[in-house]
Amino acid sequence: MSRVAVLGGGAGGLASAVELCRAGHEVRLWNRNPRTIARVAESRAVAFDGVLGEGAEKLDVVTSALDEALKDAEAVVVCLPALAHDAVFNDLAEAACAVPVVLNPGHTCGALHARAVFGARGVALPPLAELSTLTYVARVQPDGVLRVTCRAGRVRCGVLPGGEEALDVARRLFPGAVQAPDVLASSLANVNLVLHPPGAILAAAWVEAPGEDFTFYVDALSPGVARVITALDAERRAVAAAFGHDLPPLIEEMALIGTASREHAASGDVALAIRSGEANRRIAAPTSLAHRYYEEDLPFALVPFVALAAIAGAEVPTAHALVHLGGVLLGRDLYASGLNVTKLGLAGLDQPALERLVRGAT
């Protein structure tokens, strides 16, 4: 049994808290905004149903005070949107966090982002692991019950040099985690990098139309959107190959996770494989542009992906087009506001230097 601080009171953090409690760990749940966890704080329990079972798990601590959550914790699990990473990394650096940290998920370049923040503050980076994808598909229902529709069968876990202790912790806390060669492989295995931006951009008029209800992974997945997903996925795999990693196509990765059926993934039909996933198929599309498919997956997935591509010397025209159009839709320069090469602490690095950074000097 371990004492684990779970940072993030959204569906991912609550699902992590439930599973860790069921495995016998003491869980301290933290969220910056106390309103987000008010219902959980009142009962100090998470009510849940779905693939993790049904019931309510009691938590050791529910708090909006980070020092209380971190007190005596033996590990930290960060389950937050990428747009919240900068603030929480600064908070952890200010607290001089030294215990292993697991980013569930790391999104794209989460570990490198943490390294840059800790380095800028002159604080040693704790052992840190990033998971390629959140280990759950979950939503909090209007009645406050957490519904978990998928628990990932397999996700990739990358660490920076010196992060081996965090790798061990990640695999112990989340049994589906398997070691990736480095954090470039885990970051480039982030399925949301490819899965969300094409549909979000190409369905934007429908998203903004008043009173229009549709499902994102079925209704919005037209043949044209599937072709854009396929093109973006080819760019992702090409960048991974430039760094020496042979990553599977998106739908094969989703089948390993459990969000697409293996049979349909084997067919190679992108639209069929994504639509067939029971975990995602009923998820409603965004009702405005103020949604994580726009606010997170464009500036904090595609922008760092483009930064990695530039370092690798790889052409990624589809990714560039989506970032540009997303910036026009949102009314701001996503390359400036997003997780760019400077914020990642990678400015001026060439490919060999980046590979030495993530793999250790050789």
Side-chain angles (χ1 to χ4, degrees):
M1 181 174 67
S2 300
R3 291 182 296 275
V4 184
V6 175
L7 310 186
L14 295 180
S16 293
V18 166
E19 186 163 43
L20 293 174
C21 283
R22 289 170 68 82
H25 300 287
E26 291 182 12
V27 174
R28 291 96 180 279
L29 180 71
W30 171 88
N31 198 79
R32 189 181 305 279
N33 187 341
R35 291 193 297 265
T36 303
I37 52 173
R39 193 191 299 257
V40 176
E42 184 177 356
S43 61
R44 220 172 74 186
V46 180
F48 66 97
D49 63 23
V51 299
L52 297 183
E54 183 175 348
E57 285 293 333
K58 284 284 187 181
L59 306 182
D60 189 54
V61 172
V62 180
T63 182
S64 57
L66 186 60
D67 57 349
E68 184 180 7
L70 296 178
K71 184 179 179 182
D72 299 324
E74 298 169 84
V76 174
V77 175
V78 177
C79 293
L80 287 165
L83 51 86
H85 273 179
D86 193 73
V88 81
F89 292 160
N90 272 285
D91 289 344
L92 290 172
E94 184 174 352
C97 176
V99 300
V101 175
V102 179
L103 306 182
N104 183 13
H107 301 285
T108 303
C109 296
L112 289 168
H113 187 192
R115 173 188 173 274
V117 170
F118 273 73
R121 296 182 67 105
V123 178
L125 184 70
L128 187 143
E130 66 170 29
L131 303 186
S132 55
T133 298
L134 181 64
T135 48
Y136 315 94
V137 177
R139 296 291 187 275
V140 178
Q141 304 306 301
D143 61 1
V145 174
L146 173 75
R147 178 152 300 148
V148 184
T149 57
C150 177
R151 186 202 179 283
R154 197 183 93 169
V155 297
R156 301 173 193 271
C157 182
V159 298
L160 290 167
E164 292 74 15
E165 186 181 358
L167 173 64
D168 292 341
V169 168
R171 292 192 293 193
R172 178 162 52 87
L173 297 182
F174 304 104
V178 297
Q179 183 174 4
D182 55 41
V183 296
L184 298 179
S186 54
S187 285
L188 291 169
N190 171 17
V191 296
N192 289 347
L193 161 68
V194 178
L195 187 59
H196 292 160
I201 296 298
L202 296 175
W206 205 359
V207 166
E208 292 195 293
E212 292 294 335
D213 296 324
F214 62 103
T215 57
F216 187 78
Y217 297 96
V218 177
D219 295 334
L221 192 59
S222 68
V225 170
R227 287 192 291 273
V228 178
I229 288 174
T230 300
L232 180 60
D233 196 39
E235 294 176 4
R236 175 187 68 92
R237 297 182 69 211
V239 172
F243 288 115
H245 300 308
D246 182 16
L247 295 181
L250 169 70
I251 54 176
E252 291 183 21
E253 189 76 24
M254 291 177 67
L256 292 171
I257 294 166
T259 51
S261 77
R262 292 180 182 272
E263 176 187 359
H264 291 128
S267 74
D269 187 324
V270 169
L272 177 64
I274 296 172
R275 288 174 182 155
S276 71
E278 284 299 320
N280 288 332
R281 65 191 316 270
R282 295 176 182 83
I283 292 177
T287 55
S288 78
L289 301 184
H291 187 278
R292 67 185 181 89
Y293 295 170
Y294 300 94
E295 296 289 352
E296 178 175 54
D297 293 313
L298 296 173
F300 295 95
L302 279 188
V303 168
F305 168 68
V306 168
L308 294 181
I311 293 172
E315 297 292 329
V316 288
T318 308
H320 275 294
L322 290 167
V323 174
H324 174 72
L325 287 174
V328 174
L329 278 172
L330 297 177
R332 61 180 182 271
D333 182 350
L334 296 182
Y335 289 113
S337 64
L339 192 54
N340 56 40
V341 68
T342 301
K343 293 174 185 175
L344 288 171
L346 305 180
L349 293 188
D350 59 12
Q351 182 173 340
L354 176 55
E355 291 177 351
R356 286 194 299 271
L357 187 157
V358 300
R359 297 167 189 165
T362 58

